Amino acid sequence: MERDCFGICLDRALLSKNRRATFTHVRAYQTTDSLKPEFEQDVLVSFASPQMSGSEVLKELLQSKDLMWRAGYVCPSQD
């Protein structure tokens, strides 16, 4: 799993493989200035949840593709 300064990078592939996993401290960030290089852009928290399953995050991610999705921790499914 890839991490950056905001946490675990969540994308469609990762969430599809971890639908039953639990993700904590889930956040979605919106960039404020797309003309700047990525490392200079300001971000705003657009969505936050203390805990979500991989399938719940995937559903939200697919509805709002322009956001950067991150999580603090992942608890893998035991099956």
Side-chain angles (χ1 to χ4, degrees):
M1 285 183 208
E2 185 180 334
R3 284 186 169 267
D4 63 13
C5 62
F6 296 106
I8 299 168
C9 302
L10 304 177
D11 60 25
R12 178 185 234 164
L14 174 74
L15 295 169
S16 294
K17 293 177 186 175
N18 294 282
R19 288 178 181 263
R20 292 186 165 195
T22 300
F23 292 88
T24 62
H25 303 91
V26 178
R27 298 160 318 279
Y29 297 96
Q30 182 175 19
T31 58
T32 57
D33 188 354
S34 61
L35 298 178
K36 291 183 179 179
E38 187 174 313
F39 62 90
E40 290 183 7
Q41 293 180 10
D42 292 326
V43 294
L44 300 171
V45 176
S46 178
F47 175 88
S49 176
Q51 179 176 312
M52 296 176 78
S53 71
S55 60
E56 291 171 327
V57 181
L58 181 59
K59 180 180 174 184
E60 293 294 327
L61 181 141
L62 293 174
Q63 292 177 1
S64 51
K65 295 178 182 179
D66 59 332
L67 301 177
M68 296 183 339
W69 288 84
R70 301 294 186 269
Y73 302 96
V74 60
C75 303
S77 174
Q78 295 300 317
D79 36 286

